[in-house]
C-alpha cells in the first residue's frame, strides 16, 4: 500500500519543538522506524507550513491511504477540510498530543469530520497506530 503521511505547520520542528509535548524524536528518525516496521508498504512523506501547498499535495491523489496531522490547521482550515472531503481513499487524522487535554481552541477539529478515524495523544506512536489501522 502507498500511504501518504502529511504533516502541517511547525511539525518540521519535531524533536526540538516543545519536547515536553511533542517528544524528542525527529520526524526523519520516526520515518526510518516506520519504514522498518512496515517494509511491504511505501510511506510517502510531505510537510508544509503553507495551507495551499498542503491542498496541492493532497490533490495530487497519488496515494492509496492518507495519514494527516494538519497541525494548527486542524482548528480552522475549512479549505483543507473541503479538500479531505473529496478524497475517497481511507484517511486517518493523527495528533501527537491529546488535543482534548490542551487549550480550548485546540479541542475542536474542523478537519476530523472528513477523516475515517482520529488518533490523538499517543505521541509519535500515533503514526504507527495509523499505519497499522490502514493495513488491516
Amino acid at each position: 500500500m502507498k500511504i501518504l503521511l502529511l504533516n502541517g505547520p511547525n511539525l518540521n520542528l519535531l524533536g526540538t519543538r516543545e519536547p515536553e509535548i511533542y517528544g524528542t524524536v525527529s520526524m526523519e528518525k520516526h520515518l526510518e522506524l516506520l519504514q522498518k516496521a512496515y517494509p511491504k508498504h511505501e510511506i510517502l512523506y510531505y510537510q508544509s507550513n503553507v495551507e495551499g501547498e498542503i491542498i496541492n499535495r493532497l490533490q495530487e491523489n497519488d496515494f492509496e491511504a492518507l495519514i494527516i496531522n494538519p497541525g494548527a490547521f486542524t482548528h480552522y482550515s475549512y479549505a483543507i477540510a473541503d479538500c479531505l472531503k473529496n478524497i475517497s481513499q481511507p484517511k486517518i487524522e493523527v495528533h501527537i498530543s491529546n488535543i482534548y487535554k490542551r487549550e480550548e481552541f485546540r479541542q475542536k477539529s474542523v478537519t476530523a469530520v472528513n477523516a475515517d478515524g482520529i488518533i490523538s495523544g499517543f505521541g509519535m506512536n500515533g503514526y504507527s497506530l495509523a499505519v497499522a489501522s490502514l493495513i488491516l
Side-chain angles (χ1 to χ4, degrees):
M1 178 180 285
K2 186 187 273 190
I3 301 168
L4 174 61
L5 193 162
L6 191 151
N7 275 341
N10 298 309
L11 293 170
N12 56 310
L13 300 175
L14 288 173
T16 59
R17 174 188 179 210
E18 298 178 90
E20 67 281 0
I21 295 173
Y22 300 104
T24 58
V25 177
S26 70
M27 193 66 212
E28 292 75 20
K29 179 63 177 169
H30 194 67
L31 284 169
E32 288 176 26
L33 298 172
L34 282 175
Q35 292 289 358
K36 286 180 185 174
Y38 302 101
K40 294 180 182 178
H41 303 281
E42 184 179 359
I43 300 173
L44 309 171
Y45 180 66
Y46 185 79
Q47 186 280 327
S48 180
N49 296 318
V50 180
E51 184 179 34
E53 290 177 1
I54 290 171
I55 292 166
N56 288 340
R57 179 62 185 95
L58 290 170
Q59 289 179 355
E60 288 180 25
N61 201 26
D62 62 346
F63 50 89
E64 297 171 86
L66 173 67
I67 298 168
I68 184 168
N69 182 341
F73 291 137
T74 299
H75 316 293
Y76 65 89
S77 179
Y78 293 100
I80 292 174
D82 286 346
C83 183
L84 291 172
K85 186 185 300 185
N86 291 304
I87 294 173
S88 60
Q89 295 92 325
K91 38 196 177 299
I92 306 293
E93 183 169 303
V94 170
H95 298 285
I96 297 166
S97 66
N98 181 346
I99 63 173
Y100 302 102
K101 291 179 87 176
R102 302 204 49 204
E103 303 93 333
E104 187 175 343
F105 79 92
R106 292 187 197 274
Q107 296 175 17
K108 170 78 171 151
S109 171
V110 301
T111 52
V113 69
N114 296 312
D116 298 309
I118 303 167
I119 298 171
S120 178
F122 290 93
M124 296 293 274
N125 289 328
Y127 294 106
S128 298
L129 293 169
V131 172
S133 73
L134 290 167
I135 64 174
L136 290 179

